[in-house]
Amino acid sequence: MTSDSAKTISLQRLAMRLSQQHAGNTAILVDLSAVPAIHNRIMFRSFARFIEERTIDEPIDALPLARNILVLMAPHAVAQRILAKLEKLNQQLQEDRHGALGLRSFDLDKQAARFTDTARRLMEQAPAPGSERSIPVRDEAPPSADALTDVITLHRILWQADLSNQTRRQAIWQLVRDTTPKILAEEVWISIAAIERATGIPLGNDIWLLAKATELLDQRVLSHFLSDTAMLTLPLSINLHLTTLIGATFRKLLQDKPVADVEKLLVEVPLLEWRVNSTLSQAALRILKQHGIRLALDGILPDVLAGLSDAEIAAAGFLKLDAAGALAVRQVEALQALPAEKRAAILDKAIFCHCDNPQAVIAGIEGGVRNFQGRGLTPLLEDTDAIERLLGYEAAEGVVAALKGLPARPA
């Protein structure tokens, strides 16, 4: 979408709202430009949703008018209450040194022409990015103003921090009888506990803040990947939100990295998130397919195996089955209960993840699973006698060479 067409659409929508809501209403312009990192779409969406949901008892639409500028329209009395809430938020931002809001209001009974001229000038100077309208992203609203300021703090510290010592890596192994074991990919992540230590912000008890922290982590890991040419020694597996996959940082990665590097990626998306927003899922899937990137649906529990749809199985290059603790045996039982054709389709793509002991891996092998991840792999792989009993002599011989071939990692 060009800037001109985006501007035209905004002007048409604005004119429609003015014609429908002129009498008895106030228009409020909220300029977020002075808020740190507001160029980040996570930050922008967080502020927009707070303004829509938390400044008044009934939700109100905040229309993107120009870059980093929102417009709200409400009856005069309601608008005054919204302004009071926004002034309070503005005061908190300034006290915490988190920037400020620019606030202007127009009585549309008296100042409709002035407001229209102001809006047109703002749209001409800095049109709102077309990406804000292309795919609907309806996030949950921040629970409080404190949560908003915490997101600003998270962004600042994450982008200043050296992540090299916080990055964790774990291999995903393919173990097939009478075949040399091989590593499919290495999953790379940064633990939430490390972020809590770095920021001093507890995340585990706040679902909304945890979601924003992981979205910011997505972006930061991708930025780290863009700058670190050594990260793709092995194919890389990264867990990303759908909003990240359609975002600017991921697009930059696709543009800047060689095709051979991009095609080494394995992108993991939680199954629940994949199902919640079909619009985002399909948009993300188109991007992944276009660039030859494999998708892994993550967090699959035994109870949902039977409910996996043909479309979900077809879309995924891999299906990550949670095998932590007693779940390994339950996963095998759930697989055995499936119709033969569906069981074969899932086993072809299954990864037993979170294998925290060798017994989980053994249960998976005996149940027909070929791909594994988790700390329980290490003692099993180092026991060549056990590998020979499970997978044959060739596999036992090959695993020694495979382990030696792993790239060295910093302690």
Side-chain angles (χ1 to χ4, degrees):
M1 181 180 289
T2 65
S3 295
D4 286 343
S5 60
K7 182 169 59 181
T8 301
I9 291 173
S10 292
L11 285 168
Q12 290 172 345
R13 293 173 70 188
L14 180 62
M16 183 179 297
R17 291 206 171 201
L18 278 171
S19 65
Q20 294 173 343
Q21 303 180 14
H22 184 291
N25 279 355
T26 293
I28 301 171
L29 295 183
V30 185
D31 188 347
L32 302 168
S33 301
V35 175
I38 199 63
H39 63 277
N40 187 303
R41 291 300 95 183
I42 296 171
M43 200 75 65
F44 180 85
R45 294 198 317 265
S46 296
F47 270 83
R49 295 294 292 123
F50 180 87
I51 290 168
E52 288 183 323
E53 296 281 348
R54 306 300 183 213
T55 56
I56 199 65
D57 295 336
E58 294 293 328
I60 186 168
D61 288 335
L63 177 71
L65 177 69
R67 183 176 297 276
N68 300 329
I69 297 178
L70 300 170
V71 59
L72 301 85
M73 295 186 189
H76 298 316
V78 174
Q80 291 307 308
R81 297 202 299 274
I82 293 173
L83 280 167
K85 289 281 187 70
L86 291 174
E87 290 287 3
K88 186 176 179 180
L89 173 61
N90 195 24
Q91 182 179 354
Q92 181 172 344
L93 290 173
Q94 294 180 49
E95 289 174 351
D96 294 341
R97 298 185 178 182
H98 286 329
L101 304 179
L103 300 173
R104 299 178 66 182
S105 63
F106 299 82
D107 182 337
L108 295 180
D109 291 330
K110 304 173 183 177
Q111 300 173 303
R114 181 182 170 193
F115 169 67
T116 303
D117 290 343
T118 300
R120 180 178 289 108
R121 186 181 71 254
L122 290 171
M123 285 186 281
E124 289 171 350
Q125 291 173 351
S131 59
E132 290 179 12
R133 303 179 180 84
S134 58
I135 297 176
V137 179
R138 196 68 176 178
D139 295 345
E140 290 293 322
S144 65
D146 288 339
L148 273 181
T149 59
D150 282 343
V151 169
I152 295 173
T153 301
L154 281 167
H155 183 280
R156 174 176 55 81
I157 293 176
L158 283 175
W159 260 255
Q160 290 175 352
D162 178 5
L163 296 184
S164 56
N165 292 328
Q166 306 296 339
T167 303
R168 302 291 178 263
R169 308 179 78 129
Q170 190 175 68
I172 301 172
W173 286 81
Q174 185 172 88
L175 306 177
V176 180
R177 185 165 186 83
D178 297 324
T179 304
T180 299
K182 66 177 181 180
I183 296 172
L184 291 176
E186 271 196 315
E187 183 174 356
V188 178
W189 76 95
I190 299 169
S191 73
I192 292 298
I195 301 308
E196 289 180 324
R197 289 193 297 271
T199 62
I201 299 173
L203 301 171
N205 296 325
D206 188 328
I207 295 175
W208 182 86
L209 192 58
L210 178 61
K212 296 303 112 180
T214 54
E215 282 190 64
L216 289 170
L217 270 178
D218 284 356
Q219 293 183 346
R220 188 65 180 91
V221 167
L222 289 178
S223 297
H224 188 50
F225 174 45
L226 280 165
S227 62
D228 186 348
T229 56
M231 283 190 78
L232 273 176
T233 308
L234 291 169
L236 196 68
S237 177
I238 46 179
N239 199 310
L240 300 175
H241 285 275
L242 291 171
T243 49
T244 304
L245 292 174
I246 63 169
T249 306
F250 195 69
R251 286 199 303 273
K252 181 171 175 58
L253 182 149
L254 298 176
Q255 293 167 1
D256 292 0
K257 282 288 183 183
V259 172
D261 284 356
V262 168
E263 290 179 346
K264 287 182 179 180
L265 286 176
L266 171 62
V267 169
E268 303 181 17
V269 177
L271 175 64
L272 180 60
E273 182 178 351
W274 185 263
R275 288 176 165 178
V276 164
N277 194 324
S278 60
T279 302
L280 287 182
S281 297
Q282 294 310 305
L285 185 60
R286 285 193 294 272
I287 292 170
L288 296 178
K289 284 184 174 180
Q290 179 184 350
H291 294 278
I293 298 171
R294 295 168 297 172
L295 166 71
L297 293 178
D298 190 18
I300 300 174
L301 296 171
D303 295 343
V304 302
L305 269 182
L308 287 174
S309 69
D310 292 343
E312 289 168 340
I313 296 171
F318 293 98
L319 299 165
K320 297 194 75 174
L321 280 54
D322 193 339
L327 288 177
V329 174
R330 289 179 54 201
Q331 292 281 20
V332 172
E333 292 171 348
L335 285 165
Q336 291 172 345
L338 295 173
E341 186 176 347
K342 186 166 189 175
R343 179 171 65 250
I346 292 175
L347 283 173
D348 187 53
K349 300 181 175 186
I351 299 173
F352 255 31
C353 58
H354 307 303
C355 295
D356 46 22
N357 56 60
Q359 288 70 36
V361 182
I362 293 169
I365 291 172
E366 293 175 345
V369 178
R370 298 193 297 267
N371 307 311
F372 300 88
Q373 181 184 8
R375 64 178 185 268
L377 274 163
T378 302
L380 183 63
L381 291 172
E382 292 175 348
D383 186 345
T384 53
D385 290 338
I387 290 294
E388 185 173 352
R389 286 194 302 272
L390 285 165
L391 300 172
Y393 176 78
E394 184 177 343
E397 289 293 301
V399 76
V400 176
L403 285 170
K404 287 181 179 178
L406 274 172
R409 300 296 176 211

